[in-house]
Amino acid sequence: MFYNKTKEEVVLELNSNEFNGLTKIQAVDNLKIYGYNEISEEKKESIFKKFLMQFTDPLIIVLMLASIISVLIDPHEWLESLIIFIVVLFNAILGTYQENNAEKSLEALKKLSSPNSKVIRDGEKLIIPSREVTVGDIIVIEAGDYIPSDARIIEAFNFQVDESSLTGESLPVLKTSDSINGEDVGIGDRKNMIYASTICTYGRAKAIVTSVGMNNEVGKIAGYIVNSEKEITPLQIKLSQVSNIISYMAFAICFVVFVMEYFNNGNILESFKTAVALAVAAVPEALATVVTIVLAIGVNKMVKQNAIVRKLPAVETLGSCSVICSDKTGTLTQNKMTVVKAYDVESGLVDFDKNVNSDIRKMLSYFTLCSDGSVKEEDGVIKLIGDPTETSLVSASYLLGDKKEELEKSYKRVAELAFDSDRKMMSVIFEVDGKFLQITKGAFDVILDRSISFEGSEKAVKVNEEMANNALRVLAVAIKYHQTLPTDISSDNLENDLTFVGLVGIIDPPRAEVKEAIRQANLGGVRVVMITGDHLSTAKAIAKELNIYKENDLAITGKELSNMSDDELLEKIKHISVYARVAPEHKVRIVNAFKKLDMVVAMTGDGVNDSPALKAADIGCAMGITGTDVAKSASDMILTDDNFATIISAIKEGRGIYANIRRDVAFLLSCNIGEVFTIFAASLLGLFGFSLGVPLYPIHLLFVNLITDAFPAFAIGMEEASDDIMEDSPRAKNESFFANGLGITVIWQGIMIGMLTLIAFIIGSNLNQETGVTMAFITLSTSQLVHSFNIKSEKSILNKRAFNNKYLLMAAAFGLITLLIISEVKFLADIFSLVPLSLDRLAICFGLSLIPLVIVEIAKYYKNKLNTKMN
């Protein structure tokens, strides 16, 4: 811990020299010992390995086994196998493409270091690549320079550093070379240390490098990112469960059917053929593709809503989130210091706007003149140059029409006394109409002590306390006239007997849209928690204003968090709404604590310090405008407009997508259960002397699964989220995919479709086997098209949203037309082993197909009636 040692002790310990730096020989030796000043790279999997991993899904294995067995039994049936392999290959390529958008966190971290650095070696000032900076180097830092590595300051002149990307502190930190007492001082309070990835905003300094590369604070963050485990999302877990269930059922039923068929006909090849047909029926070939495409559609919608999703399942995961851990600076707030209150001795306290009176305007012009910041407009864009506090003062005058450059035409600066952290003041002298006006700004208590007594001083003290309690940064301004230009430009000579003018209250204000977004989140059962590196009072005030912090809530600091055991944190975490002055490891700990409570956690942020937590969260949301490359690379989703409200849109979209995927799974599985039931029941009847034969062939089942199943499923996946979806509570993390009776519904609806198909087969078989197969095929296909309209909504089909999905209407029309073409065009009918049907038999098929509509409508009616009574 170099911050609690004197600069002389640090220089001696690192075997360097304050004035001459390292020798070139020492620098070479240290590079060998400590390595280059760069971030280690994470070893990545090859594209080929990622491609092969796509074939480990049980569902894919079942499909491939079915296709291989089919070709081995009957080489003439290569068409079915080819279709299966095309589907499998398409899914594998799509999955590989998504995974190949590799994490680039470490490369982004490397970019944060400046390409070159100024060092002193052998007494000479050199410019070298930042990766060659080593421990013991004396580095020279000036305004605008990136800090190349962690270092202990040995010399500082009005030296200010923007550490927001590392600590979350919204204001630049004034640094010093003095040692700090204490063994446990947070990064944000180490005033004599500077860190890689931060930037000097003001002044200059010399410092001695104390660590490089992975040993820097930013390197440790990189280590957190590399070491954090990649977790699969809730959707992936649930779909994996579905795949496993289908696989085990398919193997078991295929074996049973093979045995039954062998007892029925004694022909092992025919029995294998029936078992393969059942395998094709049991496995919903389109499931993986449909889910992928539904997620991709959701991603495209999110792009239009200013969110870029880097991983397909991320949209659904965000839809199931129950807590959002949000950074404050730049996420909930504008990351722009702004004057919000103004106090003048004559006018009193007012909210700042463009309609303030002339006294307030005059006071603000004093603040503007006594500052080094500036505001410029380039191509219609306002640019703030300088310290954020000073630019907030200049911006206030700018909004009132008082441009700093115009004011300076009347006020000629002739002398100044720079800001000093000990004095907490800055003074500037102007020549005005032959006189000399001194303007002094600084901390309220200091300015008040240096001012002559005035009426209303007690009121000013109360106003200062009121603004400070609301977490405003308070600055005071005073003036003093001189007949001649003072020759002694010192604090003792100038900064006394001042005439107090007024105060301003400054804050990084909340984004206008955030309060409404948080209200919507709370309405949807999603809790918002603030995690920031800023001071507790500031964080608490912003949280109160945004309704994040409520009565009986707790607000704690990172130090208090460190003193908590894991059990104590788990006990209190439901009541803690604000975490302030936290380090990167604190954020990860908070995220992991929520996850231990089985909550789906979303984390928002924009800085380097946020990236480990973004990676650890179930869904990491980085800011696109203010976000660092590190944060973006560690995230699952990037908000291109830095708008917190976009997260709520994403939650709504995610919930809608999850609902659509459940509908798709319900539709596809109920249809496949119908197919399995048809074949299984026909084989079972054969054991009792009713030798009906195989009602459906593999090519029929592939047609059904890929035309009358897949296309309606794609369309169902494009259903718009219902308006009231945000009024529902988030799903529990461990909630089964088939919760709320979905599993039972799928089974009975599947059996219903299977029974209707079997009835059609039996009716047709009374004439001949070919007619029975044809009637079964047409009934199964049309009943599934009808059933797709049942599935699209839990409400009755007889409502205004029943036919609002044009894609479902087109899918149904396409399936029906394709079915008619196959059954009526002779050479296609021959390929599918179909025969022409009479009108009465076609009417029977279509009549049976409409029965699911009636039965499901009755079921919906009683289910909704029961839910209404329970509520």
Side-chain angles (χ1 to χ4, degrees), residues 147 159-163 171-173 175 194 198-201:
I147 312 299
F159 184 50
Q160 297 182 33
V161 177
D162 179 359
E163 295 183 333
L171 292 169
V173 179
K175 297 289 186 174
I194 52 177
T198 61
I199 186 171
C200 171
T201 60

Side-chain angles (χ1 to χ4, degrees), residues 245-266:
I245 291 170
I246 294 172
S247 303
Y248 297 143
M249 288 178 61
F251 278 122
I253 296 174
C254 285
F255 177 76
V256 171
V257 168
F258 169 75
V259 172
M260 289 193 301
E261 282 296 305
Y262 183 71
F263 275 112
N264 285 340
N265 55 42

